[in-house]
Amino acid sequence: MSIVAASTLNPRARRFETERIHASTTVLLLATIGLGLYGVGRLLGSNIVGTPHQSQVGSALAFVGVVLVVIALVLHVDHLSFRIGRSAVVLMCLGAILLSVGNLLSVFNMSPLWFNGPGWVLGGFGLAMVAVHKEGQMKTALAEYAAGSPWQLRVTVHASFLSLITGAIGLIAFGIGRMGLASVPGRGPLVLAGVGWVLLTIGVISHVEHLVPRIGLGAVIAAILAPIFWAANFLFNAIDPTSAANNVFWRVCLGIGTLLGALACALALQKKRSTDR
């Protein structure tokens, strides 16, 4: 349902439309399974729950997980294009594809950094395009109102400019840091990647709290904790890049953080099913 159509509903129907989860059950289920497989794959790769040969199995699970998330994005692309703009969706999908290629390389013990890094950078530019899309919608609405047309809410991007720009800068910095790990020695790339993910975490937290009526408090809490765990994975790396424990620590943080993301999607799926009834 479009924003303009929703504005003509009675208050009760408008509230339902505002709180309704627009993603389909298929999209949410694929996202839940994909994030779950990625999280389990990272934990397996850390060797804390098995033997060293399971690292390849973990990478394979992570690859399948990312592919499922990409499929979920593609299935949701029409609604996302309406909400955040076609350019943003294309960039984000391309970024997700590069991430899946990087995880596939990990299955064969090849470095994923030159694919993962650009993938995150593309995601950052995609997020920046969401802000551009929102600005264009606001300008159009204001111009029509100034010309004498009745005021109608046409802005489909609910995230604030602060959330979008902070998240975009964070993703781009994180991606550049990841690429730097392939060729630049020292703490520089690790610090840049860590700062980037902290910025992304700030952007996520500043946005998701308003989603409580839509996806539920439990899902929002999980969605807030997930990027915090992801940001923490750079802590020991930045302090001591040579520590042998770093490989285990970052995989555990990624695994737990992604499983929390899967939990958020699962709770949102449960709420959607109960709401749609």
Side-chain angles (χ1 to χ4, degrees):
M1 179 179 292
S2 70
I3 296 299
V4 175
S7 65
T8 64
L9 299 174
N10 61 56
R12 181 176 179 181
R14 191 183 304 123
R15 179 181 177 184
F16 173 80
E17 180 64 25
T18 301
E19 296 180 2
R20 187 168 66 90
I21 298 174
H22 297 288
S24 67
T25 55
T26 302
V27 168
L28 290 171
L29 182 61
L30 285 173
T32 300
I33 296 173
L35 291 173
L37 288 176
Y38 184 90
V40 171
R42 286 308 183 198
L43 290 177
L44 282 175
S46 69
N47 297 327
I48 65 169
V49 292
T51 55
H53 79 276
Q54 287 183 315
S55 179
Q56 277 188 302
V57 175
S59 295
L61 286 176
F63 166 69
V64 174
V66 174
V67 169
L68 289 178
V69 172
V70 172
I71 294 173
L73 283 173
V74 171
L75 291 177
H76 198 45
V77 68
D78 287 338
H79 180 77
L80 286 175
S81 296
F82 165 72
R83 286 272 169 185
I84 65 177
R86 179 74 64 176
S87 298
V89 172
V90 170
L91 287 170
M92 290 179 181
C93 285
L94 288 175
I97 291 172
L98 287 180
L99 290 176
S100 65
V101 172
N103 281 282
L104 180 61
L105 292 177
S106 297
V107 177
F108 301 101
N109 293 320
M110 300 170 64
S111 175
L113 296 176
W114 287 113
F115 285 90
N116 284 356
W120 291 114
V121 170
L122 282 175
F125 281 114
L127 205 54
M129 290 305 298
V130 178
V132 173
H133 184 70
K134 177 174 182 173
E135 182 184 18
Q137 289 182 327
M138 293 180 67
K139 284 183 177 179
T140 300
L142 289 172
E144 291 179 356
Y145 182 69
S149 299
W151 173 255
Q152 291 180 323
L153 180 61
R154 298 180 183 272
V155 179
T156 57
V157 180
H158 300 298
S160 68
F161 282 109
L162 177 62
S163 296
L164 293 170
I165 298 303
T166 302
I169 294 173
L171 276 179
I172 293 171
F174 177 76
I176 294 174
R178 291 285 288 171
M179 286 187 286
L181 291 174
S183 57
V184 180
R187 292 189 177 90
L190 289 169
V191 172
L192 181 61
V195 170
W197 206 263
V198 168
L199 289 174
L200 177 64
T201 301
I202 293 172
V204 170
I205 292 175
S206 64
H207 171 60
V208 298
E209 61 183 24
H210 94 280
L211 294 176
V212 173
R214 176 166 292 183
I215 65 176
L217 179 60
V220 167
I221 291 174
I224 289 174
L225 290 176
I228 291 176
F229 271 93
W230 272 58
N233 80 76
F234 294 96
L235 179 61
F236 288 161
N237 270 321
I239 295 173
D240 182 9
T242 63
S243 174
N246 287 336
N247 185 53
V248 173
F249 184 75
W250 81 265
R251 288 180 184 274
V252 169
C253 285
L254 289 181
I256 295 175
T258 310
L259 288 175
L260 285 167
L263 175 61
C265 289
L267 292 173
L269 174 60
Q270 181 184 27
K271 189 171 189 300
K272 178 178 176 61
R273 285 175 171 169
S274 64
T275 303
D276 288 354
R277 291 196 197 103

